[in-house]
Amino acid sequence: MWTNNSAAPFLLTGFLGSEAIHHWISISFFIIYFTILFGNGTLLFLIQRDHSLYEPMYYFLAMLAGTDLGITLTTMPTVLGVLVLNQREIAQGACFTQSYFIHTLAIVESGVLLAMAYDRFIAIRTPLRYNSILTNSHVMKVGLGILMRGFVSILPPILKLFWFSYCRSHVLSHAFCLHQDVMKLACADITFNRVYPVILVALTYFLDALIILFSYILILKTVMGIASAEEQAKALNTCVSHISCVLVFYITVIGLTFIHRFGKHAPHVIHITMSYVHFLFPPFMNPVIYSIKTKQIQRSIVRLFSLQRA
């Protein structure tokens, strides 16, 4: 078994070649992080206080907002530390822990999007049985299953990182710790850490995406069977927000995957930018999408401001 002979901290990296303007870059990150925290925090507050939003669809939306907040709060300290304070050092244990939560929450987000597709599937395919199927206890079990899948499935490769020896360069390519970034620095056989994540991605992201696609094919088939064009539009409109969030999430996943697999000769800044887009764009856009496309959320916002004025 490998033991960790080199306990020296890792070095995080911001935007190579742009260190002189890191302070200016940090301003845009401050704005993005504030918007993410405010947007998702507002969604959680509205769902918690507005009893009209006590429905399965909004419980899953609350899980999505909570997951987005988790991912943001996990990466924010080190990203701003590098950009603002040039604080590049991170202890190995802290790095592995950050990597664990980043990848865990990404898998959880994929699971939540799948659960939201399940919610829309039940609502449109069997509307009369919706409340009897998606009871509070059932929603809690689905949520617990999503969390367990995320928190348990990523443990094996992360735990292996603690046993590796790191005798090569300790410089990471991002301002936060990613498993695929850390494992390349190990002086050990990393075959398991290369193969396991590929299988895990296939059984989570890829499988989730396929099931979501299949569920929407069935939803579309059901909607096309509705006689009234107005009712068809109404049914599809309830899915628009979710479809938009799914596209935002999986397009960034696909983009990041293609860059890592086929863009080895692409400039370093492209790799880094795609990583930030993957981890920041969905949390940034999800509250915007649901605020614009969901009438119940809009009404809740109006009621909130009306109460404050009163």
Side-chain angles (χ1 to χ4, degrees):
M1 183 166 290
W2 293 88
T3 55
N4 200 341
N5 297 319
S6 176
F10 292 120
L11 291 177
L12 301 168
T13 303
F15 290 87
L16 277 178
S18 303
E19 289 83 358
I21 59 170
H22 270 181
H23 284 82
W24 293 107
I25 296 173
S26 69
I27 295 174
S28 61
F29 275 85
F30 266 117
I31 295 170
I32 292 169
Y33 279 129
F34 175 79
T35 305
I36 290 171
L37 295 176
F38 178 77
N40 288 286
T42 300
L43 274 183
L44 286 174
F45 177 73
L46 290 174
I47 294 169
Q48 187 274 328
R49 71 176 296 279
D50 193 336
H51 286 232
S52 69
L53 301 180
Y54 284 14
E55 297 177 10
M57 173 182 172
Y58 299 106
Y59 294 151
F60 290 131
L61 177 57
M63 283 191 64
L64 184 67
T67 303
D68 285 340
L69 281 176
I71 291 175
T72 301
L73 292 172
T74 301
T75 61
M76 185 173 67
T78 54
V79 171
L80 294 181
V82 170
L83 295 177
V84 179
L85 305 173
N86 196 33
Q87 181 61 47
R88 296 183 60 197
E89 288 192 358
I90 182 169
Q92 290 188 12
C95 184
F96 303 151
T97 302
Q98 184 187 48
S99 175
Y100 172 69
F101 280 105
I102 287 174
H103 294 295
T104 291
L105 291 170
I107 293 172
V108 168
E109 177 138 0
S110 180
V112 173
L113 290 172
L114 174 60
M116 294 172 85
Y118 171 62
D119 169 80
R120 292 298 85 206
F121 176 80
I122 298 297
I124 292 175
R125 292 277 291 187
T126 56
L128 297 178
R129 297 179 57 205
Y130 179 78
N131 290 326
S132 62
I133 294 174
L134 285 176
T135 60
N136 287 345
S137 62
H138 188 61
V139 171
M140 286 180 64
K141 289 175 184 176
V142 171
L144 184 61
I146 291 169
L147 291 175
M148 288 294 291
R149 185 184 76 158
F151 279 87
V152 173
S153 64
I154 199 64
L155 267 177
I158 298 297
L159 289 176
K160 292 273 285 184
L161 295 178
F162 283 91
W163 295 104
F164 290 153
S165 176
Y166 300 92
C167 53
R168 297 194 182 102
S169 166
H170 281 213
V171 179
L172 298 169
S173 60
H174 297 78
F176 44 81
C177 296
L178 297 176
H179 168 263
Q180 62 267 32
D181 208 8
V182 176
M183 73 173 185
K184 293 175 183 176
L185 306 181
C187 298
D189 181 4
I190 59 171
T191 303
F192 175 81
N193 286 63
R194 286 187 180 277
V195 174
Y196 184 93
V198 174
I199 297 172
L200 184 60
V201 165
L203 294 177
T204 52
Y205 294 114
F206 185 67
L207 186 59
D208 290 351
L210 281 180
I211 296 173
I212 290 171
L213 176 63
F214 182 66
S215 69
Y216 270 105
I217 291 172
L218 294 178
I219 287 172
L220 189 61
K221 183 179 177 182
T222 302
V223 170
M224 290 300 103
I226 300 174
S228 168
E230 185 179 343
E231 289 299 316
Q232 287 181 352
K234 186 178 178 181
L236 286 175
N237 192 51
T238 64
C239 302
V240 170
S241 298
H242 178 251
I243 292 171
S244 301
C245 290
V246 167
L247 290 175
V248 165
F249 180 76
Y250 284 105
I251 286 173
T252 60
V253 169
I254 293 168
L256 186 62
T257 302
F258 267 85
I259 285 292
H260 276 298
R261 297 294 177 191
F262 307 110
K264 293 180 180 178
H265 301 294
H268 180 260
V269 69
I270 300 296
H271 287 262
I272 300 304
T273 302
M274 277 305 302
S275 294
Y276 284 121
V277 168
H278 171 58
F279 289 112
L280 294 178
F281 192 59
F284 181 87
M285 287 303 299
N286 289 343
V288 175
I289 291 168
Y290 272 91
S291 298
I292 292 173
K293 292 293 184 181
T294 309
K295 289 182 179 178
Q296 291 92 326
I297 297 291
Q298 292 173 1
R299 293 192 194 105
S300 186
I301 293 171
V302 170
R303 279 195 293 268
L304 177 63
F305 281 104
S306 299
L307 287 173
Q308 286 181 342
R309 288 175 183 174

